[in-house]
Amino acid sequence: MDGHGHGDGRQPMLEKGPPSHRERHFTAGEVVRDVIMGVSDGLTVPFALAAGLSGASAPSSLVLTAGLAEVAAGAISMGLGGYLAAQSEADHYKREMKREQDEIIAVPDTEAAEIGDIMAEYGLEPHEYGPVVEGLRRNPQAWLEFMMRFELGLEKPDPRRALQSALTIALSYIIGGLVPLLPYMFISTVQDAMLTSVGVTLLALLFFGYIKGRFTGNRPFLSAVQTTIIGAVASAAAYGMAKAVQAR
């Protein structure tokens, strides 16, 4: 037997390195927010409109025409709102960056002291963050980016964000808005189409609410129930109002 072997015939265990660590962070928050905004309104508003017109005994063709017109107008309005909101964020970032840049040039010692204050909030001592402060002072661009992020809490926006937001919200609104209108495309009797629309849309709201909860970190089942209740209440209110007006 080899003097270096083990008497029990087992091979020596190989040393294993530390287990690999893969961080999994969700980084598409803005896109998901736009999708949630678009689909949520798209499912709810045309659903309520269709229910209201159905309550007024409008024919399926009229409900469908009005619903499609609302989806088109809503998609444009929501998309434009998303574009303007994202553009406003970008403009705000540029203004604050210019102001911060001017302060770094005009009062560098004051701004450098603010770096120390920020570091101290994380429990660092002056002798620990001193080299960091000096390093940032030698690199004005890094200094500016540091102040924007850690003093003002602003992240540099993607220059394509405004257009992406507009398209995402508009397309999501169209997708959501077509769901409650689909039954009116195939069922000529308005009451039957409405009942089918209610069933289809409530199922879509449940599914969408569940998915929304998974992405946003909320309890999925609670999110599904809340989303469905909001859509049901909106459509019931529109239907009841149409019936009340018709009865007068």
Side-chain angles (χ1 to χ4, degrees), residues 92 129 151 160 162 177 222:
H92 174 66
Y129 61 69
E151 182 191 21
R160 300 170 297 177
L222 179 60

Side-chain angles (χ1 to χ4, degrees), residues 51-68:
L53 290 174
S54 298
S57 301
S60 288
S61 58
L62 178 59
V63 175
L64 179 60
T65 301
L68 291 176

Side-chain angles (χ1 to χ4, degrees), residues 101-114:
Q101 190 173 38
D102 292 341
E103 291 177 355
I104 289 175
I105 295 173
V107 285
D109 292 337
T110 301
E111 291 297 302
E114 290 178 355

Side-chain angles (χ1 to χ4, degrees), residues 131 133-140 143:
V133 175
E134 293 303 319
L136 288 174
R137 294 191 70 162
R138 291 193 297 268
N139 189 337
W143 186 0

Side-chain angles (χ1 to χ4, degrees), residues 15-16 41 52 66 72 84 88 112-113 121 144 154 156 195 207 220 231 236:
E15 293 185 0
K16 295 182 178 180
D41 281 8
L84 293 176
S88 296
E121 292 179 0
L144 177 60
L154 298 176
K156 185 176 182 180
L195 292 175
F207 177 75

Side-chain angles (χ1 to χ4, degrees), residues 18 22 47 108 139 180:
R22 295 179 61 188
F47 182 36
N139 189 337

Side-chain angles (χ1 to χ4, degrees), residues 115-174:
I115 299 176
D117 294 339
I118 294 171
M119 294 290 188
E121 292 179 0
Y122 290 90
L124 298 179
E125 298 295 332
H127 69 276
E128 294 173 319
Y129 61 69
V132 177
V133 175
E134 293 303 319
L136 288 174
R137 294 191 70 162
R138 291 193 297 268
N139 189 337
Q141 184 60 36
W143 186 0
L144 177 60
E145 293 176 359
F146 178 91
M147 299 302 286
M148 291 297 294
R149 177 174 297 181
F150 291 99
E151 182 191 21
L152 302 179
L154 298 176
E155 296 284 345
K156 185 176 182 180
D158 186 338
R160 300 170 297 177
R161 168 69 186 147
L163 182 58
Q164 289 176 345
S165 178
L167 293 176
T168 302
I169 294 175
L171 290 175
S172 299
Y173 189 93
I174 292 172

